[in-house]
Amino acid sequence: MNRGLNCAFAANRVQVDTIGRPMVGAVIGDLLTNPPACASDAGSWCYEVYQTTKVSWLAESANWLVAKPLKIIIILVFALVARFLAQRLIDRMTRDRGKAPSILRPLRERSPSTLGPLMSERRSQRAKTIGSVLKSIVALCIWGIACIWILGEFGFNLTPIIASAGVVGVAVGFGAQNLVKDFLSGIFMLLEDQYGVGDVIDVGSTSGTVEAVGLRVTTLRDSSGTVWYVRNGGISKVGNSSQGFAVAVVDVPLNYVSDIDRALEVLERSANRATSVEPLSEYVIEEPKVLGVQSLSSEGAILRVTVKVRPAKQWATQRELRREMMAAFVAEGLEVPQTTNGS
């Protein structure tokens, strides 16, 4: 009896085995060979992959395995090419070929003509700084758009991402507001050409000759040779002594016992004589003006003479005029007050 049961069980196992194997093979075969629904769309990636491989699961995954990576590669290549072309264009616009770069032509230029060789350096530095700002803005825009496209290909909802980026940007801007303020101030200073290399400026805390203008700091060198680095965002007002024209102001003291009218005539003759010969003749724009008595003190009267000169030439003119006027006073016997230093 046991022998009969064993034979029956064995017969059933063989039947199941012989039936099960063809059934599993049929299912697997259907998964591999039966065309998916998307394969009926002629011209789609699913259709092309299925026609090439005859593999259903590979055709159904063609959008993720072929189409999306290819689109992402195209987006990246497009971004790289656009960034390269934009940078080449900006470099071409900022290149100095012996004249003002084309990027500066629409902008106002206040640089004095007396800068000479510094004129080219000033323009070149201004153009390069503006060009670097434009490159950063263009690169940020191009890569930002490319990232948004790529995230869209992956199916991300861009609305919360953009909102989060805006919140993060506000937080970073608030935390680095001094840095942002420095950069914005530097950009407007360059666009408006408030000052540049070679200008003599006064920023309140210090004064000197501008050696470099950056987006964040301005480099000055004062009369004693000290280099100062001034944050652009900390500059509330700027006095530029190198734009348009300058005025050389010379105050000459005169003793009360001397004849003021005669002293004024001597000042006028000496000023006209000094400004009619080199080097002052190259600096002077208008004839000297003797303004008369500027002030009175316990020691004597102060006489003032002014001369309109080219930018940044007022100090050399003042020194030369003082030398000529004091020599004329001595020759005419005019006395200056004697000051004593108490201790």
Side-chain angles (χ1 to χ4, degrees):
M1 183 176 179
N2 291 334
R3 184 176 179 183
L5 291 174
N6 289 335
C7 291
F9 178 76
N12 291 334
R13 185 176 62 182
V14 171
Q15 183 179 5
V16 172
D17 188 44
T18 56
I19 295 175
R21 286 183 179 177
M23 290 178 64
V24 173
V27 172
I28 294 175
D30 290 341
L31 291 175
L32 293 176
T33 59
N34 285 349
C38 61
S40 61
D41 184 10
S44 65
W45 283 103
C46 179
Y47 174 83
E48 296 295 337
V49 171
Y50 182 76
Q51 293 297 324
T52 304
T53 63
K54 300 299 182 181
V55 179
S56 298
W57 69 267
L58 185 60
E60 291 179 341
S61 304
N63 189 42
W64 276 96
L65 297 178
V66 180
K68 289 188 179 297
L70 185 59
K71 288 181 180 179
I72 292 173
I73 292 174
I74 293 175
I75 291 172
L76 293 176
V77 172
F78 175 78
L80 289 172
V81 172
R83 179 175 174 268
F84 173 77
L85 294 177
Q87 289 188 345
R88 286 291 301 271
L89 178 62
I90 294 173
D91 289 338
R92 185 174 181 180
M93 293 173 63
T94 57
R95 191 175 297 122
D96 187 0
R97 297 187 178 90
K99 57 182 181 180
S102 58
I103 197 172
L104 299 180
R105 292 171 189 171
L107 303 177
R108 183 175 181 182
E109 187 176 65
R110 296 189 176 98
S111 55
S113 58
T114 56
L115 287 177
L118 287 177
M119 179 74 75
S120 177
E121 181 182 352
R122 174 194 177 107
R123 288 172 175 169
S124 177
Q125 186 181 90
R126 186 186 178 201
K128 287 180 180 179
T129 307
I130 295 176
S132 67
V133 175
L134 292 178
K135 286 181 180 179
S136 300
I137 294 175
V138 169
L140 181 62
C141 293
I142 291 176
W143 288 116
I145 295 173
C147 289
I148 291 175
W149 280 355
I150 292 173
L151 291 176
E153 290 297 325
F154 284 110
F156 285 97
N157 187 3
L158 300 179
T159 303
I161 296 177
I162 295 174
S164 301
V167 173
V168 172
V170 171
V172 172
F174 182 78
Q177 55 183 331
N178 288 334
L179 185 62
V180 174
K181 182 179 179 181
D182 293 341
F183 275 93
L184 290 178
S185 299
I187 291 173
F188 282 107
M189 287 177 182
L190 289 168
L191 292 178
E192 297 172 1
D193 197 23
Q194 297 178 7
Y195 54 80
V197 176
D199 283 350
V200 180
I201 65 173
D202 186 347
V203 295
S205 58
T206 186
S207 61
T209 304
V210 178
E211 291 194 341
V213 180
L215 289 177
R216 196 177 70 85
V217 296
T218 295
T219 306
L220 302 177
R221 187 179 295 274
D222 62 15
S223 57
S224 63
T226 304
V227 177
W228 297 87
Y229 299 94
V230 184
R231 288 178 42 247
N232 293 331
I235 301 176
S236 58
K237 59 180 180 179
V238 181
N240 195 328
S241 302
S242 306
Q243 287 183 357
F245 63 90
V247 177
V249 181
V250 179
D251 291 333
V252 181
L254 181 67
N255 200 308
Y256 281 127
V257 299
S258 300
D259 187 351
I260 292 181
D261 293 333
R262 182 162 163 258
L264 293 176
E265 294 177 0
V266 172
L267 289 179
E268 186 175 3
R269 288 198 305 269
S270 61
N272 289 331
R273 183 172 59 251
T275 56
S276 61
V277 297
E278 295 184 353
L280 296 189
S281 60
E282 299 178 355
Y283 305 158
V284 175
I285 298 176
E286 295 181 357
E287 294 182 356
K289 297 180 180 179
V290 180
L291 302 183
V293 179
Q294 178 65 22
S295 62
L296 299 174
S297 65
S298 58
E299 289 84 11
I302 303 297
L303 309 182
R304 172 163 293 184
V305 179
T306 61
V307 185
K308 189 175 182 179
V309 296
R310 298 186 182 278
K313 298 301 181 181
Q314 61 267 39
W315 299 287
T317 304
Q318 289 171 356
R319 289 190 292 268
E320 188 65 22
L321 286 178
R322 290 191 188 100
R323 186 183 69 82
E324 288 288 337
M325 291 174 180
M326 293 310 299
F329 268 33
V330 171
E332 295 292 334
L334 297 172
E335 299 182 1
V336 299
Q338 300 293 326
T339 59
T340 57
N341 294 327
S343 58

